[in-house]
Amino acid sequence: MLSSSHLRYRSVTAHRLPAGMLLAALMAAGLAGCATYKPLPLPTQAESASSLSQLQGYAGTTLPLDSVALERLVLLNNPDLRTAHARHQAAQAQRRQDSVLPNPVVGGSIGYLLSGVGDGTAWTASISQDIAALITLKPRREAAKAAADEVDASLLWEQWQTLGKARLLVIGLVEGDRQIQLQQRALDALMQRESRITQQVGKGNLERLTVEPDLSAAADARAAMDDLQRRRLDQQQQLTALLGLKPDVVVPLAPLARAELDVASIDSEAATISRRRPDMVALQLGYQAQDASLRAAVLAQFPPLSIGYDASQDNSHVRNGGPAVSFALPIFDRNQGNIGVARATREQLHQEYVTRLATSRDEVNALLAQYEQLHAQWLALAPVTADAINAAAHARTAWQAGLLDLRSYVDLDVAAINRQIAMIALEQAMLEQQAALELLVGRGMPSSLDQDVIAP
């Protein structure tokens, strides 16, 4: 324990420190917690990855990519998502800013004696704190937290939509390759027939007018192939863009796992959309933030009040001190404008949430109806396609045996191929509907989202 003499020595020593050193010490203490500036120059050039191996998280990934691996790479490397994550940091910084109290206000002055009666230096000192900020602190912190969480939920919804887009592109590419393979078979057969017909027309054995439908069929097959290839290139480039790759990078994809749509499960999950889908959670958090802002605005209508302590000394060494209060008279501004804006905004968000909740269920029901229609069309086409494939197989045997001419055989073979392409198109449409339904009901999302879940 320090003795009284030691305390007196420390007091006297501190008192005798030069004023400049004391001021420097106070300034150093104040600057210790200050932020510093560091420049972040923009790059002169930037480019996308030129191979899959350059992607973040690619190590250990096997080819071809299945849906799980592809979605993981999209989440890690999508340029838009990586840019959007910066909003999380900005929202957290804004949350901290909106949650702090204003600093106490300190004031003071010195009045040197210039003339007249007196033998000392006059001074005044005061310290005060804004009480209104204390009153509104809790709702402001609630609003700041909800607003930051809303940003995180919105980011999660962007991720979810990006994954949905990736799934649709994968379905289009995989099913498109199946269609291209079949269309190539049809084109090869029609081109073979076209070549023989052209030779016969050149020799004068056939009239061009009579074989024009066959030549047109070959031209139509070429146009269909061109359309499929253009569509595939566009989808491939969209997928590479999602992965942050250059457009010419080839992304090998594994075959799709096929499963029947569980309508009962979709209906069950649709009932909990408000707790599962990130955009619905974001709307709820936005509403909570605005509701807290409205409560803060209502509390802020009371006169701004500051409480502190004032002390002074005149030139005759007479000292005064005591509490000080200052407040504004609520004659003109009672914060009614801010309250009206906050209330109207809350009503707007309330209506937006109700509308989104209603339309989301309608969208699910519409997609279910479309899926049922597609499934019925697929069931109707399946036996017809099987019969056409069987007829084409018999026709090939008959043509090889010389019992059927090439023209008839190609017609039957191409007809079977076209029905198979139609079947694949229906299967692709059903897979796309399944992916859209999973996106709408938030399949794969937890039944409730909290801050730990939605933070990137």
Side-chain angles (χ1 to χ4, degrees):
M1 178 178 293
L2 295 175
S3 64
S4 59
S5 60
H6 189 198
L7 289 175
R8 286 195 299 272
Y9 172 77
R10 292 289 300 275
S11 176
V12 171
T13 303
H15 179 71
R16 291 177 179 175
L17 285 175
M21 294 183 62
L22 288 175
L23 180 60
L26 290 174
M27 292 181 64
L31 292 174
C34 292
T36 58
Y37 168 77
K38 181 184 294 185
L40 182 63
L42 294 173
T44 57
Q45 291 182 347
E47 60 180 16
S48 302
S50 57
S51 67
L52 286 170
S53 60
Q54 295 179 359
L55 295 181
Q56 181 181 353
Y58 178 76
T61 303
T62 58
L63 297 178
L65 297 175
D66 58 18
S67 59
V68 175
L70 179 70
E71 291 176 8
R72 179 174 55 84
L73 291 177
V74 168
L75 287 177
L76 292 174
N77 298 277
N78 181 258
D80 293 333
L81 293 180
R82 297 178 70 173
T83 302
H85 286 167
R87 298 208 305 269
H88 168 74
Q89 300 298 333
Q92 293 301 319
Q94 187 62 48
R95 173 183 175 179
R96 290 190 293 270
Q97 178 61 33
D98 294 342
S99 300
V100 297
L101 281 171
N103 294 323
V105 178
V106 178
S109 65
I110 296 178
Y112 295 106
L113 179 63
L114 300 179
S115 66
V117 179
D119 60 352
T121 300
W123 56 263
T124 63
S126 65
I127 182 171
S128 62
Q129 176 66 50
D130 183 8
I131 302 302
L134 291 173
I135 296 174
T136 61
L137 179 61
K138 182 178 179 181
R140 285 192 295 110
R141 284 181 173 175
E142 292 175 355
K145 179 181 182 301
D149 291 344
E150 178 191 7
V151 171
D152 288 344
S154 298
L155 292 177
L156 184 58
W157 178 237
E158 289 183 33
Q159 293 176 345
W160 191 239
Q161 287 183 308
T162 302
L163 291 182
K165 184 177 181 180
R167 292 169 186 171
L168 292 177
L169 288 173
V170 169
I171 292 171
L173 286 168
V174 173
E175 298 302 299
D177 285 343
R178 295 176 63 199
Q179 295 181 48
I180 288 175
Q181 292 175 0
L182 289 171
Q183 187 64 33
Q184 187 62 56
R185 281 178 48 194
L187 181 59
D188 291 343
L190 290 170
M191 289 180 63
Q192 180 183 9
R193 186 176 69 177
E194 180 188 43
S195 176
R196 295 192 180 186
I197 288 176
T198 303
Q199 292 176 3
Q200 295 299 319
V201 170
K203 293 178 181 180
N205 297 330
L206 291 174
E207 292 290 335
R208 186 174 183 88
L209 184 62
T210 60
V211 297
E212 186 60 33
D214 299 328
L215 300 178
S216 297
D220 292 341
R222 289 192 192 93
M225 174 62 80
D226 291 342
D227 288 340
L228 289 172
Q229 290 177 339
R230 283 194 297 268
R231 188 187 313 160
R232 191 194 188 286
L233 178 60
D234 179 63
Q235 292 173 338
Q236 176 69 29
Q237 291 175 345
Q238 290 185 54
L239 184 60
T240 55
L242 286 182
L243 288 165
L245 294 167
K246 292 184 176 180
D248 57 347
V249 179
V250 177
V251 182
L253 300 173
L256 297 174
R258 303 176 185 276
E260 292 293 331
L261 179 66
D262 189 350
V263 177
S265 176
I266 292 293
D267 282 331
S268 175
E269 291 174 343
T272 59
I273 282 179
S274 62
R275 302 194 304 272
R276 176 180 284 107
R277 254 178 46 181
D279 64 322
M280 301 299 298
V281 176
L283 287 175
Q284 295 173 35
L285 292 170
Y287 179 82
Q288 293 175 15
Q290 189 57 39
D291 185 68
S293 297
L294 175 58
R295 287 190 283 114
V298 170
L299 291 173
Q301 70 182 315
F302 297 101
L305 175 65
S306 295
I307 297 178
Y309 184 85
D310 289 350
S312 65
Q313 173 182 287
D314 64 14
N315 297 112
S316 302
H317 295 285
V318 176
R319 296 181 181 182
N320 299 289
V325 177
S326 65
F327 61 92
L329 294 176
I331 298 176
F332 305 109
D333 183 7
R334 298 187 302 277
N335 209 37
Q336 297 305 308
N338 291 333
I339 293 174
V341 171
R343 182 173 285 118
T345 304
R346 187 185 68 167
E347 178 63 28
Q348 174 189 341
L349 294 176
H350 184 277
Q351 185 59 43
E352 182 179 352
Y353 176 78
V354 173
T355 301
R356 182 79 63 87
L357 188 61
T359 56
S360 61
R361 180 66 200 199
D362 294 339
E363 290 171 350
V364 171
N365 292 336
L367 286 180
L368 284 174
Q370 294 173 20
Y371 181 87
E372 290 299 325
Q373 183 185 60
L374 290 170
H375 189 251
Q377 293 172 351
W378 186 89
L379 291 176
L381 186 59
V384 177
T385 302
D387 182 67
I389 294 173
N390 186 52
H394 287 297
R396 181 177 182 81
T397 302
W399 172 65
Q400 291 174 341
L403 302 177
L404 188 67
D405 62 279
L406 177 63
R407 182 179 184 182
S408 300
Y409 158 64
V410 171
D411 284 339
L412 291 172
D413 190 35
V414 171
I417 292 174
N418 287 336
R419 285 186 171 84
Q420 293 178 72
I421 292 176
M423 288 280 290
I424 294 175
L426 287 174
E427 292 170 358
Q428 177 180 340
M430 286 191 292
L431 287 172
E432 291 173 347
Q433 296 293 69
Q434 288 186 30
L437 282 167
E438 291 174 355
L439 177 67
L440 282 176
V441 301
R443 172 167 289 184
M445 288 290 174
S447 59
S448 61
L449 297 175
D450 56 22
Q451 184 180 1
D452 295 333
V453 174
I454 63 181

